[in-house]
Amino acid sequence: MGLPQAGLWLRRLWVLFQVALQVAVGKVFLILFPSRVKQHIVAMNQKNPHFSYDNWAPTLYSVQYFWFVLKVRWQRLEDRTEPGGLAPNCPVVRLSGQRCSIWDFMKGNRPLVLNFGSCTPSFLFKFDQFKRLIEDFCSIADFLIIYIEEAHASDGWAFKNNVNIRNHRNLQDRLQAACLLLDRSPQCPVVVDTMKNQSSRLYAALPERLYVLQAGKILYKGKPGPWNYHPEEVRAVLEKLHS
């Protein structure tokens, strides 16, 4: 599945052009048709009352927005996952600092639900839904939260009503930030991605994503967040397995 290095850079250049064009066109539309753009954004985000238009719309199509979208799109070129395929056994770090890998959390033939994310409003908004999954299916499945790089760091593409976390400069920064998730009583292990962002890259997880693994294979691959991050789809997968 891996692209040759030259091919990867060609794809990156093409993505660079696409993102630059998207930002330029978006900026023009925001200036010429602000009410229509606002209507579209509000419609996309209506299910999250804690994440209003005024929180982040002013940052749309900014320089920080451009670099973040480019990072996400480039990362997806390194996606090594497909339903039915082998799940990458990426290294992760427990909050104690102990290094381990994703496969260490698989137990026999029990499904393992991976929840990739950071302290974004969209991820935290659906945190209770994920906790209900754990409560309802802990007898037949295991769960793991993998804290990845902060999608909306205060020194990156930041906006109002977001946790004030700077880009992680070292592993200690990342471990400290991940501890904020413990305040929400996740009821499952929490680990962090390495500073090389290996699991985030190979699972194309930025800004958030859900997977279900079983016996080392990918049983379910969720679409990327925030708009397509749906814990209810994981529920349907687990219900089918349990029936």
Side-chain angles (χ1 to χ4, degrees):
M1 291 178 60
L3 288 169
Q5 196 65 22
L8 177 60
W9 277 106
L10 286 174
R11 293 282 295 275
R12 283 179 174 175
L13 287 173
W14 175 238
V15 168
L16 173 62
F17 170 77
Q18 290 178 313
V19 174
L21 181 62
Q22 174 199 344
V23 171
V25 171
K27 193 73 171 179
V28 170
F29 270 76
L30 192 61
I31 294 171
L32 297 180
F33 312 105
S35 59
R36 183 170 296 182
V37 172
K38 179 176 181 178
Q39 183 180 12
H40 175 66
I41 293 173
V42 170
M44 286 195 302
N45 202 48
Q46 60 183 341
K47 294 183 179 180
N48 188 344
H50 304 292
F51 196 36
S52 71
Y53 176 84
D54 293 331
N55 287 157
W56 68 290
T59 69
L60 276 178
Y61 311 118
S62 62
V63 173
Q64 292 83 3
Y65 170 92
F66 167 79
W67 285 116
F68 177 77
V69 173
L70 183 63
K71 178 197 291 187
V72 170
R73 293 284 302 279
W74 273 1
Q75 187 187 88
R76 289 177 189 169
L77 296 178
E78 300 184 60
D79 188 352
R80 295 295 182 270
T81 61
E82 59 183 18
L86 192 67
N89 188 23
C90 301
V92 290
V93 184
R94 298 178 189 269
L95 297 189
S96 64
Q98 179 187 4
R99 294 180 179 270
C100 54
S101 64
I102 290 176
W103 281 27
D104 290 336
F105 296 88
M106 283 194 286
K107 300 175 183 177
N109 202 44
R110 284 168 60 92
L112 173 65
V113 180
L114 303 181
N115 190 9
F116 292 90
S118 58
C119 293
T120 63
S122 56
F123 184 75
L124 297 179
F125 175 62
K126 295 194 175 182
F127 207 81
D128 285 343
Q129 280 185 264
F130 186 72
K131 287 172 61 176
R132 285 194 291 273
L133 284 177
I134 298 174
E135 293 168 0
D136 294 343
F137 296 99
C138 61
S139 63
I140 66 159
D142 299 299
F143 298 81
L144 179 66
I145 294 173
I146 303 178
Y147 178 82
I148 58 177
E149 61 182 302
E150 198 60 43
H152 298 293
S154 57
D155 53 348
W157 180 24
F159 37 70
K160 298 177 184 178
N161 197 27
N162 196 30
V163 178
N164 185 19
I165 301 175
R166 294 171 61 86
N167 278 304
H168 310 137
R169 288 164 173 74
N170 51 54
L171 183 61
Q172 196 57 42
D173 283 352
R174 185 162 291 181
L175 290 168
Q176 184 176 353
C179 286
L180 294 175
L181 297 178
L182 296 182
D183 295 337
R184 294 176 174 265
S185 304
Q187 303 176 40
C188 75
V190 177
V191 297
V192 305
D193 197 4
T194 65
M195 292 306 295
K196 292 182 179 180
N197 301 316
Q198 287 159 291
S199 64
S200 180
R201 287 189 291 105
L202 298 187
Y203 281 87
L206 191 68
E208 55 243 355
R209 202 161 200 166
L210 291 159
Y211 283 84
V212 179
L213 313 183
Q214 188 174 39
K217 300 291 184 67
I218 297 171
L219 192 63
Y220 162 85
K221 177 180 181 178
K223 294 180 181 178
W227 316 121
N228 297 306
Y229 173 88
H230 300 305
E232 60 270 24
E233 292 182 356
V234 173
R235 176 175 293 275
V237 171
L238 296 178
E239 285 177 345
K240 185 177 180 180
L241 288 175
H242 191 49
S243 62

